[in-house]
Amino acid sequence: MRNKILTILLTIVMLFTMVTPVLAAELQDDEGHIFAEKMDVSYSNPVYSGGGSSREGSTTVTLTFTLSNNDTIEKTETISKINITTTKNYTYDIECNKVAVTITVTATGKNGSLSITGVSASMTGNALNSGIHTYDSEVATEATCVDTGIMTYTSLICSYGYTEEIDLDLNNHIGEISESVIEVATCTEDGEAAYTCSACENTSTNPIAATGHVDDEGTVEKEATCAEKGVMAYTCAVCEDSYTRSIAKTKDHVGGEGEETKSATCTEDGEMTYVCSVCNDSYVEAIPASHTEETVTIASTCKAKGKITVTCKECKEKLSTEEIAIDSTNHVGETYKEVVTPSTCEVGGEMGIYCADCKALLNTTNQDAKGHRWGEWQETTAATCEGKGEETRVCKNDSTHTETKPIEALGHKKTTKTVEPTCIKEGSINEICETCEKEFSNTVLEATGHKEVTDTVAATCTANGYTKVTCSVCDTKISNTVLNKLGHDFLNLIDHKDATCSDGYDVYQCSRCEATDTEVLKATGEHVWVEGATTAPTCTKDGYTVYTCSECQETENRDITGKLGHNLDTVVVDATCVADGSKTTTCSRCDYRNVVTLEKLAHTEVMNTVPATCTADGYAKVTCEKCKEEISNTVLKATGHKWNNGTTTPATCTAEGVTTYDCTACDGTKTDTIKIDPNNHGETYTEEISAATCTKAGEMGTYCKDCEKLLGTTVLEATGHNEVIETVEATDDNDGYIKVTCDVCDELLSNTVLKNQEDASNESSSKGKKKSSAPVVTIVSEDTPLAGYVGSENPFEDINELDWFFDYVMYAYTNDLMVGTEPMLFSPNVSTTRGMLINILYRLEGSPEVDRLANPFTDVAAGTWYADAVLWGLENGIVMGNGNGKFDPNGSITREQLAAILTRYVDFTELTLPEKCDYQLFNDEASIDGYAKEAIERLFSAEIIAGKPGNVFDPKGTATRAEVAAMLMRFNEATVLATE
């Protein structure tokens, strides 16, 4: 460990006169390490409390320590007497250790003046060895081949550091390097050169690489073919040695007419096999696959792009598609009406006729003005005590149309308000209006005045007393007289210690209290040193003896002896052709060690050759004769087999075929696998695919016994229903019925209701409306799906009898299935949302209670108009979420989603859908998601849902409110007919 030097600065500043005493002695720790070289003290002029006695003077002393790691410690102490010595102890913690510093200050006061006559310091603790250092190292002087270097280590925690010697670096030459050739290199053999440093005279040798032959143009001794390598002969232009190199085999075979061994199909290449006339090897060339193209064109419309599709007639694969731009003039679908300019109260509007596909405006008709529809009167300006108010009513058709009328003034309502007086504030009696707080009269009540109480506390030596006067009513402070503190009289001597090499003291006590004051007696003389332990010198560190004062235990290091230096020994290990040698230098007294590497010697080379076969590589290997190490190994590639034409076993529908080849040069064989031929079937068998039922045909399949592939099918005719009739007669209170069911499949074939007498009498007045317990909801925004309207005629301004959907909308409205989006508007071309549809089905079921159900959807808030309907639909398997915990109630419902939800509702209610027609595939069948395919087939067969022009279903297209109304009417009629 090396000395750690910390610096302590101490500044003495007087209020009127600057004094800066400096402690010249070095401050050391218990191990003799220098902690600080000096310190400064600052102090102010004394302040007297009275009487002129120098004992009553005081001063403030500030000690400032500035350390070498830039830490700063500042301590402030008050000396309450003059002509004393004050000792203060400070403990300073640093990250590596803890040291205790003792500062002694001697101050003298006389006739009102003050001076500091002495400052001394000592410390205890080990500033270096008690800590755990982490070092950062840096090369101060680099080692060379002739001089050692110096490495400096500095603590990362504190400022402690030390240095160490770096051993000679025999690879770092500082002299000039001379080169001399020992042996010249030739075309085939390495040479050798020697290198010597002029500073350390160390010599090393390095090989000079062989130059290699210089080829001439060369001559071909043997041409290369597809079966054998060729040979090229060369003569070196330097040493005139002759040698040969091989020419690689050619890649191209020489063959005559080939044989087609595999026919090309639409998707797989065929194969043509040839036999080489040089090497007799067979090789294969591909016959490219090709399709037989067929083109289908679908014309474009005003909404949908057309398409040109090219497919293969043989394998039906779609080869290419090309879109045809939309034809904005080709309107082939239905039309609908929609308001272009809405009618106002006083001005007529305009109704437009639009293409249902592209929404283009085709024609317009005029509409009559609606007239005013006044709402209720609402207060807009409130009446006051003295002023009139106003109320207004607004037209429900147009909120900018208003009417106003006045509201009479209210008049004042008088009352009396009293505020009681206090000690210092007046009170009052006021007559005011309760409504507007207008003041009519004000009577003043005089303040009552304070009631005084006196409280006295006597003064002490250190604290002031007081005489305080306060009010007993409001606690207000009226006056407060301060009684000055008495101060101490330190007259009694109660403790004493004589001064030695360290300070003594006198302790005085106050006669009025227990307070004490200490006077320091200055030290009398020098330390009495006693010789202690001696530390011997080492190779790299000095020795020393520790002396200790018998009086105060202070220590210092003396009798310094110089470091010894290293006692070096050297051991040499010679280099060989497989390993480097070394030169190791060590010290016999310490752990110093330096190793220099001696480079390994060159090998003595011997060559061994093994020729190649058909399947195994040969080699030409060079090894060292002395150490047997492998120096190089040149691989002689295997010559490869020479195969005959082989024998073939053909493939079947379940087993691969194989062709076996024999090598004409050795006993080797190889086989090539022939892919399974899926069309080469053996024996067959028949098995039922689906059994025939009462209403549906079954299917019988023919299969291959080997691969079990279905080769063909035959139809099994439906068996037909076996009808059973059940009759229950109607009573006075209950309906009866005649049910026809099948005793094979339990299907309900028909159900005729026999009305009871009460229902029969009420039937004629029901006007065909379906009962519903759901309340009528009025639309106030686009988010509200249903709005009520009372009336049996068409209430909607945006539909009329010429619209294709008129009958469907009126059916849905009169049966409480759907109502408007706003008063007098149905919005037939607005997309239906997922929340709207499930709410319609929920209303059909009488809006059952769902409070017990947990809500799994983060976008379905409790209390919204669709919340109960969504939870009801989820519980009964009619609707599901869109993933990630969401239902998307305001998302537009697609046509395939609508079909899936309607069929789930059919299954939930156990209704029956009729089968009126066979399902036909749509041109966009592939774009229908799997979950919706069966639902679309069932609704199509029941004639509830249909395709669009061009034989497309458009599964991802949104369903308008008009389309939903049409589906609901067809759905309701179809299920009723099927039940009856």
Side-chain angles (χ1 to χ4, degrees):
M1 301 284 287
R2 296 296 187 270
N3 287 335
K4 171 183 176 183
I5 300 176
L6 302 172
T7 303
I8 301 178
L9 303 177
L10 179 69
T11 306
I12 301 177
V13 181
M14 299 182 63
L15 294 177
F16 303 103
T17 304
M18 180 67 69
V19 179
T20 308
V22 176
L23 180 65
E26 292 180 338
L27 184 60
Q28 299 180 347
D29 65 6
D30 291 346
E31 298 297 323
H33 301 292
I34 297 174
F35 184 76
E37 295 179 353
K38 66 176 182 176
M39 59 186 173
D40 293 337
V41 178
S42 64
Y43 64 95
S44 65
N45 278 341
V47 177
Y48 298 102
S49 61
S53 172
S54 63
R55 284 188 178 279
E56 296 179 357
S58 64
T59 185
T60 300
V61 179
T62 301
L63 309 178
T64 303
F65 302 79
T66 302
L67 308 180
S68 60
N69 63 354
N70 292 324
D71 284 351
T72 299
I73 305 174
E74 185 173 274
K75 300 290 185 178
T76 301
E77 299 295 337
T78 299
I79 302 174
S80 60
K81 290 185 179 182
I82 308 303
N83 199 19
I84 61 173
T85 300
T86 301
T87 301
K88 299 297 178 182
N89 297 319
Y90 304 110
T91 300
Y92 174 56
D93 292 294
I94 60 177
E95 293 176 74
C96 301
N97 53 275
K98 175 185 287 187
V99 294
V101 181
T102 301
I103 305 297
T104 302
V105 180
T106 303
T108 301
K110 183 178 182 181
N111 299 326
S113 65
L114 172 69
S115 64
I116 291 181
T117 59
V119 179
S120 63
S122 64
M123 65 178 291
T124 58
N126 185 348
L128 301 179
N129 294 333
S130 63
I132 300 174
H133 294 277
T134 301
Y135 296 102
D136 182 21
S137 62
E138 182 179 3
V139 177
T141 305
E142 192 177 59
T144 67
C145 61
V146 293
D147 296 316
T148 58
I150 298 175
M151 179 71 76
T152 301
Y153 295 87
T154 304
S155 174
L156 296 176
I157 300 175
C158 65
S159 61
Y160 171 71
Y162 66 94
T163 60
E164 282 188 356
E165 189 176 64
I166 304 173
D167 297 331
L168 296 176
D169 184 359
L170 298 182
N171 292 320
N172 184 15
H173 296 289
I174 61 174
E176 295 183 1
I177 305 298
S178 59
E179 178 183 2
S180 60
V181 177
I182 300 173
E183 185 175 351
V184 177
T186 66
C187 296
T188 57
E189 294 183 359
D190 292 342
E192 188 175 29
Y195 301 89
T196 303
C197 173
S198 62
C200 64
E201 298 182 353
N202 184 36
T203 300
S204 61
T205 60
N206 285 319
I208 303 172
T211 60
H213 291 299
V214 178
D215 295 343
D216 62 0
E217 293 182 357
T219 57
V220 176
E221 290 187 352
K222 180 181 178 183
E223 294 285 351
T225 67
C226 56
E228 293 182 337
K229 294 180 180 179
V231 178
M232 178 72 78
Y234 297 91
T235 299
C236 178
V238 177
C239 66
E240 297 183 354
D241 282 355
S242 297
Y243 48 92
T244 61
R245 293 194 175 99
S246 61
I247 305 172
K249 292 180 183 179
T250 61
K251 295 181 179 180
D252 298 328
H253 292 286
V254 179
E257 294 184 1
E259 178 183 357
E260 184 179 312
T261 52
K262 179 181 177 182
S263 299
T265 67
C266 298
T267 57
E268 292 188 4
D269 292 342
E271 292 180 353
M272 183 69 76
T273 302
Y274 298 86
V275 177
C276 178
S277 60
V278 176
C279 64
N280 292 323
D281 279 356
S282 59
Y283 59 95
V284 177
E285 291 184 358
I287 303 173
S290 62
H291 292 285
T292 303
E293 295 183 356
E294 180 179 37
T295 302
V296 177
T297 302
I298 299 174
S300 60
T301 67
C302 61
K303 179 182 179 181
K305 294 180 180 180
K307 185 185 295 184
I308 300 175
T309 305
V310 180
T311 58
C312 177
K313 285 185 178 181
E314 302 298 329
C315 66
K316 307 303 181 184
E317 179 183 346
K318 184 185 291 186
L319 304 178
S320 67
T321 57
E322 180 184 352
E323 288 188 344
I324 304 174
I326 289 176
D327 183 357
S328 60
T329 63
N330 186 17
H331 305 288
V332 297
E334 298 175 345
T335 62
Y336 67 91
K337 291 184 178 181
E338 191 170 277
V339 175
V340 177
T341 304
S343 299
T344 66
C345 302
E346 300 165 349
V347 180
E350 194 175 29
M351 181 69 70
I353 299 175
Y354 294 84
C355 174
D357 290 333
C358 67
K359 315 302 181 186
L361 178 62
L362 306 180
N363 197 3
T364 59
T365 57
N366 294 326
Q367 303 291 310
D368 295 334
K370 294 189 289 186
H372 292 297
R373 287 199 307 127
W374 295 110
E376 298 295 328
W377 288 100
Q378 302 289 333
E379 183 181 72
T380 53
T381 302
T384 65
C385 298
E386 300 176 346
K388 292 183 178 182
E390 187 178 66
E391 58 182 351
T392 305
R393 64 178 181 176
V394 180
C395 177
K396 293 183 179 180
N397 293 337
D398 188 342
S399 60
T400 63
H401 298 158
T402 60
E403 287 186 348
T404 61
K405 65 180 182 179
I407 302 173
E408 294 299 322
L410 303 177
H412 292 295
K413 185 177 180 181
K414 295 182 179 181
T415 187
T416 300
K417 182 178 179 182
T418 302
V419 178
E420 296 296 333
T422 67
C423 298
I424 58 175
K425 289 186 179 181
E426 295 176 338
S428 64
I429 300 174
N430 294 339
E431 184 181 17
I432 62 173
C433 175
E434 285 184 356
T435 305
C436 67
E437 298 185 355
K438 180 177 179 180
E439 184 176 277
F440 297 99
S441 67
N442 184 7
T443 301
V444 177
L445 303 177
E446 293 182 357
T448 60
H450 291 300
K451 293 182 179 180
E452 296 183 357
V453 176
T454 302
D455 181 25
T456 301
V457 175
T460 67
C461 292
T462 58
N464 294 331
Y466 62 84
T467 300
K468 186 186 299 182
V469 180
T470 58
C471 176
S472 62
V473 177
C474 64
D475 293 328
T476 300
K477 184 193 296 182
I478 299 171
S479 66
N480 187 9
T481 303
V482 177
L483 305 177
N484 292 330
K485 62 185 178 183
L486 303 176
H488 297 296
D489 59 344
F490 295 113
L491 301 176
N492 301 326
L493 179 65
I494 61 173
D495 194 10
H496 169 78
K497 179 186 176 184
D498 293 330
T500 62
C501 60
S502 60
D503 294 339
Y505 58 82
D506 287 329
V507 180
Y508 295 86
Q509 187 177 42
C510 178
S511 63
R512 286 190 292 270
C513 67
E514 299 299 321
T516 61
D517 185 26
T518 302
E519 288 187 0
V520 177
L521 305 178
K522 189 175 181 181
T524 60
E526 299 295 329
H527 293 291
V528 180
W529 297 109
V530 177
E531 183 177 350
T534 299
T535 300
T538 66
C539 296
T540 59
K541 296 181 180 179
D542 295 336
Y544 59 88
T545 300
V546 178
Y547 288 80
T548 305
C549 177
S550 60
E551 295 294 323
C552 65
Q553 305 306 312
E554 184 175 338
T555 63
E556 67 178 32
N557 295 340
R558 298 181 178 180
D559 303 332
I560 306 301
T561 56
K563 57 187 176 183
L564 303 176
H566 292 299
N567 185 19
L568 301 176
D569 294 323
T570 303
V571 177
V572 177
V573 177
D574 293 331
T576 68
C577 58
V578 295
D580 291 338
S582 64
K583 180 180 179 182
T584 304
T585 303
T586 57
C587 177
S588 61
R589 280 195 294 264
C590 68
D591 58 357
Y592 171 78
R593 186 171 183 267
N594 181 47
V595 179
V596 177
T597 301
L598 305 177
E599 294 185 359
K600 63 183 178 181
L601 307 177
H603 292 293
T604 302
E605 297 180 357
V606 177
M607 179 174 286
N608 182 27
T609 303
V610 174
T613 67
C614 292
T615 57
D617 292 341
Y619 61 84
K621 186 182 298 182
V622 179
T623 58
C624 177
E625 185 176 26
K626 294 179 181 179
C627 65
K628 309 305 180 185
E629 180 182 340
E630 183 180 294
I631 298 169
S632 66
N633 190 357
T634 303
V635 177
L636 306 176
K637 292 293 186 181
T639 59
H641 293 292
K642 297 180 180 179
W643 303 113
N644 63 7
N645 292 334
T647 57
T648 300
T649 300
T652 67
C653 61
T654 58
E656 294 178 334
V658 65
T659 300
T660 303
Y661 302 91
D662 297 319
C663 178
T664 59
C666 69
D667 294 333
T669 62
K670 75 168 183 175
T671 58
D672 286 344
T673 301
I674 303 172
K675 293 182 180 179
I676 290 175
D677 184 355
N679 298 317
N680 187 14
H681 299 291
E683 297 183 12
T684 62
Y685 69 93
T686 59
E687 186 176 280
E688 184 179 74
I689 298 174
S690 60
T693 66
C694 300
T695 58
K696 291 185 178 180
E699 195 174 23
M700 182 69 74
T702 301
Y703 297 84
C704 173
K705 280 187 176 181
D706 294 329
C707 64
E708 298 187 350
K709 180 179 179 180
L710 178 63
L711 304 179
T713 60
T714 57
V715 177
L716 302 176
E717 296 294 332
T719 60
H721 290 299
N722 187 16
E723 297 182 354
V724 176
I725 299 175
E726 178 187 2
T727 302
V728 174
E729 298 294 337
T731 65
D732 291 341
D733 299 322
N734 298 315
D735 292 343
Y737 60 82
I738 300 174
K739 285 185 180 178
V740 180
T741 58
C742 175
D743 66 353
V744 176
C745 65
D746 294 329
E747 182 179 343
L748 178 64
L749 304 179
S750 67
N751 185 10
T752 303
V753 178
L754 306 178
K755 294 288 185 178
N756 64 62
Q757 186 174 359
E758 181 179 356
D759 285 348
S761 63
N762 293 333
E763 185 175 9
S764 60
S765 62
S766 66
K767 296 186 179 179
K769 273 200 171 187
K770 183 174 180 177
K771 295 181 180 180
S772 173
S773 61
V776 174
V777 181
T778 301
I779 287 298
V780 294
S781 71
E782 289 185 354
D783 292 333
T784 309
L786 303 171
Y789 183 89
V790 179
S792 58
E793 298 180 352
N794 176 15
F796 305 116
E797 294 181 347
D798 55 352
I799 67 171
N800 60 55
E801 295 178 354
L802 299 179
D803 295 326
W804 66 268
F805 48 75
F806 178 82
D807 290 338
Y808 299 130
V809 171
M810 294 307 299
Y811 175 86
Y813 169 73
T814 56
N815 284 279
D816 283 346
L817 301 179
M818 298 177 72
V819 285
T821 57
E822 293 181 16
M824 306 178 72
L825 291 178
F826 183 79
S827 302
N829 298 305
V830 171
S831 296
T832 306
T833 67
R834 290 166 54 81
M836 288 180 184
L837 180 63
I838 191 58
N839 206 34
I840 292 169
L841 301 179
Y842 179 60
R843 285 160 53 86
L844 283 175
E845 289 304 303
S847 302
E849 183 65 35
V850 294
D851 287 346
R852 67 186 185 281
L853 301 178
N855 181 4
F857 300 121
T858 58
D859 59 348
V860 178
T864 54
W865 56 266
Y866 49 76
D868 287 352
V870 171
L871 296 181
W872 168 81
L874 178 66
E875 181 187 42
N876 295 290
I878 298 170
V879 293
M880 291 170 280
N882 282 352
N884 297 323
K886 295 185 181 297
F887 178 76
D888 191 21
N890 297 315
S892 298
I893 196 163
T894 64
R895 287 167 55 82
E896 64 181 6
Q897 289 174 353
L898 176 61
I901 292 173
L902 284 179
T903 52
R904 294 188 199 122
Y905 177 74
V906 169
D907 296 338
F908 163 73
T909 57
E910 298 182 356
L911 296 172
T912 301
L913 291 177
E915 294 185 9
K916 296 183 179 181
C917 64
D918 293 332
Y919 180 71
Q920 65 179 28
L921 294 177
F922 293 101
N923 289 341
D924 58 347
E925 188 77 12
S927 62
I928 299 174
D929 287 341
Y931 77 90
K933 284 186 178 293
E934 182 183 354
I936 293 171
E937 291 178 11
R938 290 172 65 186
L939 296 181
F940 183 93
S941 298
E943 295 185 350
I944 295 172
I945 198 167
K948 292 187 175 183
N951 190 34
V952 295
F953 181 74
D954 188 19
K956 303 301 186 292
T958 56
T960 65
R961 287 171 52 81
E963 290 172 336
V964 171
M967 291 183 194
L968 288 174
M969 177 174 172
R970 298 178 194 138
F971 172 81
N972 207 32
E973 290 178 346
T975 53
V976 170
L977 289 174
T979 302
E980 294 177 353

